[in-house]
């Protein structure tokens, strides 16, 4: 019988700004989910990354199951009441709709789910990132599943060397799911051409071409497409199955040593390097830097093991130092150029009002330049 792994995540309030949820808030969500273990769910784990709460669930009901989604939605709704009672900042921030309509997709929370036949040993990685958006996973997924410079398994394993299929979504298309399937390695340049545009094209899933099995599922939610304005960043979650027919754990983790610049940081409006952090980390410097955590687990008959904290290892201390230096470096140029996101992303913020106000003050200069008004007066 197939197993479904579902992770549903939302920001429903946090202490001290957009830093991290309170213990009472986490407990409130945990209690609501815990009540359904052994009933609707086989197992579950509630965790926080930055100011976001993720509910990881195992069950037999397939992806997009209304009862599973409603359980998560109700847990977040209940948690929001606790956030309000505690006066937490941004209480209910990601719950953008009032009435639940069968699926949390398009309602604010981020979702990543996959259904598969459990292998005898089923190791997988659960990634959660804060102060960034789903495009942050484009580069790590490309490197892990398509680049032999990162993943020697593509050369060394007969299964991996048959390549992987990428399903990529156009997240700028709001009228429905606009997707394309491309095969690595034949379509490598085409995959790269799309994935370089992290605000428009996002990896939704990756599939083994040797077995047809799903390797990865990532969320594709863009909150501003739902809300029509800036309501917080689309802090993404992702599930990646590892080993045997899939890349090894270390091959999937390796790309995070780059500290790639991603959209996120401060008001969702700045490019900042992505810092791999231990589980349950908050954010700090410049409401960031954008962070990513990874819980490595196994699942058997739907039961989850305890998580191994993949980025807590001492190796990542040096990476964190380098990312901190890179963060300070790009912040030195403030709002200028590449430090701030392009206007198309900022259109959802208040800067639009300022530009609209300036619009009538622009003048078309007459052919013969005349002195500015101040110079004439003085
Ligand atoms: P195992 O032989 O334990 O599967 O490990 C191989 C591997 O992938 C290590 O990178
Ligand atoms: P979150 O999306 O994590 O709530 O961050 C909002 C923000 O603007 C921080 O500066
Ligand atoms: Mg927040
Ligand atoms: Mg967040």
């Amino acid at each position: 019988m197939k197993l479904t792994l579902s992770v549903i995540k939302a920001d429903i309030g946090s202490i001290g700004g957009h830093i991290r949820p309170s213990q009472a808030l986490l407990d409130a969500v945990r209690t609501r989910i815990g009540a359904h273990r052994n009933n609707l769910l086989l197992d579950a784990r509630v965790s926080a990354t930055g100011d976001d709460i993720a509910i990881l669930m195992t069950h037999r009901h397939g992806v997009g199951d209304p009862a599973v989604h409603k359980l998560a939605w109700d847990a977040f709704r209940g948690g929001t009441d606790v956030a309000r009672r505690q006066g937490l900042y941004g209480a209910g921030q990601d719950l953008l709709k009032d009435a639940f309509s069968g699926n949390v997709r398009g309602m604010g929370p981020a979702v990543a789910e996959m259904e598969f036949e459990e292998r005898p040993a089923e190791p997988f990685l659960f990634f959660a990132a804060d102060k960034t958006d789903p495009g942050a996973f484009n580069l790590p997924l490309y490197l892990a599943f398509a680049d032999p410079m990162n993943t020697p398994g593509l050369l060394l394993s007969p299964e991996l060397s048959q390549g992987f299929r990428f399903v990529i979504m156009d997240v700028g298309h709001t009228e429905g799911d606009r997707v394309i399937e491309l095969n690595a390695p034949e379509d490598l340049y085409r995959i790269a051409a799309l994935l370089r545009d992290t605000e428009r094209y996002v990896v939704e899933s990756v599939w083994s071409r040797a077995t047809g099995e799903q390797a990865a599922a990532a969320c594709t939610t863009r909150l501003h497409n739902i809300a029509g304005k800036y309501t917080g960043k689309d802090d993404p979650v992702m599930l990646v199955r590892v080993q045997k027919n899939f890349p090894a754990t270390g091959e999937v983790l390796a790309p995070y040593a780059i500290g790639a610049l991603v959209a996120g940081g401060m008001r969702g409006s700045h490019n900042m390097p992505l810092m791999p952090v231990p589980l349950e980390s908050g954010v700090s410097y410049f409401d960031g830097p954008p962070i990513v955590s990874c819980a490595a687990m196994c699942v058997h008959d739907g039961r989850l093991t305890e998580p191994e904290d993949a980025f807590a290892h001492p190796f990542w201390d040096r990476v964190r130092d380098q990312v901190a230096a890179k963060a300070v470096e790009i912040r030195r140029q403030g709002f200028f150029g590449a430090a701030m996101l392009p206007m198309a992303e900022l259109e959802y913020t208040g800067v639009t009002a300022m530009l609209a106000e300036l619009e009538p003050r622009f003048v078309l200069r007459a052919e013969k330049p005349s002195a500015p008004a101040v110079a004439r007066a003085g």
Side-chain angles (χ1 to χ4, degrees):
M1 204 176 175
K2 284 189 170 180
L3 178 78
T4 311
L5 275 183
S6 299
V7 55
I8 303 183
K9 156 305 353 171
D11 176 349
I12 52 168
S14 68
I15 48 179
H18 293 280
I19 303 271
R20 70 170 177 83
S22 67
Q23 195 54 53
L25 180 50
L26 272 165
D27 289 345
V29 175
R30 259 185 204 123
T31 307
R32 282 166 175 78
I33 297 298
H36 295 269
R37 216 172 261 162
N38 301 319
N39 162 9
L40 181 65
L41 305 178
L42 298 170
D43 206 351
R45 189 174 172 272
V46 175
S47 59
T49 296
D51 62 359
D52 298 300
I53 297 180
I55 310 170
L56 174 66
M57 297 168 278
T58 62
H59 57 91
R60 303 277 182 211
H61 311 292
V63 303
D65 180 71
V68 172
H69 279 231
K70 184 161 192 312
L71 171 63
W73 179 259
D74 289 345
F76 287 137
R77 285 288 289 251
T80 297
D81 294 339
V82 174
R84 290 213 176 93
R85 279 204 293 280
Q86 284 198 298
L88 299 192
Y89 194 66
Q93 180 182 289
D94 285 355
L95 309 185
L96 301 179
K97 302 275 159 88
D98 288 328
F100 181 77
S101 57
N103 193 308
V104 299
R105 281 192 71 201
M107 301 187 74
V111 193
E113 295 182 285
M114 56 178 150
E115 189 185 28
F116 51 85
E117 212 63 66
E118 226 181 56
R119 299 173 288 173
E122 187 58 66
F124 74 97
L125 308 176
F126 161 48
F127 291 91
D130 186 37
K131 307 299 184 266
T132 184
D133 55 33
F137 291 132
N138 281 5
L139 180 64
L141 288 173
Y142 173 86
L143 293 173
F145 287 96
D147 185 355
M149 293 288 279
N150 177 89
T151 300
L154 295 170
L155 310 179
L156 302 177
S157 147
E159 287 79 21
L160 267 68
S161 66
Q162 292 181 50
F164 288 90
R165 175 170 296 123
F166 284 70
V167 180
I168 298 169
M169 186 180 283
D170 173 0
V171 293
H173 187 86
T174 49
E175 294 84 43
D177 289 355
R178 189 164 181 265
V179 295
I180 186 169
E181 293 189 11
L182 291 170
N183 288 329
E186 307 90 281
D187 292 323
L188 209 57
Y189 299 164
R190 296 178 186 94
I191 293 170
L194 293 179
L195 297 191
R196 65 151 301 279
D197 189 352
T198 53
E199 307 312 297
R200 177 82 193 267
Y201 301 107
V202 169
V203 179
E204 182 192 58
S205 57
V206 183
W207 303 75
S208 161
R209 293 173 70 194
T211 65
E213 282 185 291
Q214 185 166 3
C219 74
T220 52
T221 316
R222 301 280 354 240
L223 292 175
H224 66 218
N225 290 344
I226 302 170
K229 63 178 190 328
Y230 181 69
T231 58
K233 213 51 192 166
D234 318 307
D235 310 326
V237 285
M238 176 168 76
L239 297 165
V240 184
R241 295 165 75 199
V242 289
Q243 302 296 142
K244 295 289 179 198
N245 296 333
F246 306 122
T249 304
E251 291 168 334
V252 178
L253 295 178
Y256 296 91
I258 295 171
L261 292 168
V262 294
M266 188 51 78
R267 302 175 187 274
S269 305
H270 294 82
N271 282 314
M272 298 276 284
L274 183 63
M275 181 182 278
V277 293
L279 301 174
E280 313 292 328
S281 292
V283 295
S284 178
Y285 172 71
F286 201 62
D287 280 6
I291 55 172
V292 59
S293 68
C294 176
M297 282 176 260
C298 280
V299 58
H300 189 65
D301 291 337
R303 293 279 162 187
L304 298 164
T305 61
E306 76 273 26
E308 166 63 8
D309 189 343
F311 294 134
H313 188 279
F315 169 84
W316 299 96
D317 291 341
R318 179 154 176 277
V319 171
R320 282 188 274 275
D321 287 347
Q322 288 168 337
V323 170
K326 195 168 171 178
V328 170
E329 189 52 39
I330 192 158
R331 286 310 311 139
R332 272 159 41 88
Q333 66 178 67
F335 63 83
F336 184 73
M340 202 182 249
L341 295 189
M343 266 315 292
E345 282 299 301
L346 301 182
E347 267 168 24
Y348 300 90
T349 72
V351 75
T352 351
M354 191 187 294
L355 294 182
E357 180 203 315
L358 292 177
E359 201 47 40
R361 292 175 59 185
F362 275 93
V363 291
L364 258 181
R365 188 177 277 154
E367 252 174 49
K368 187 163 167 279
S370 58
V374 272
R376 282 201 303 271

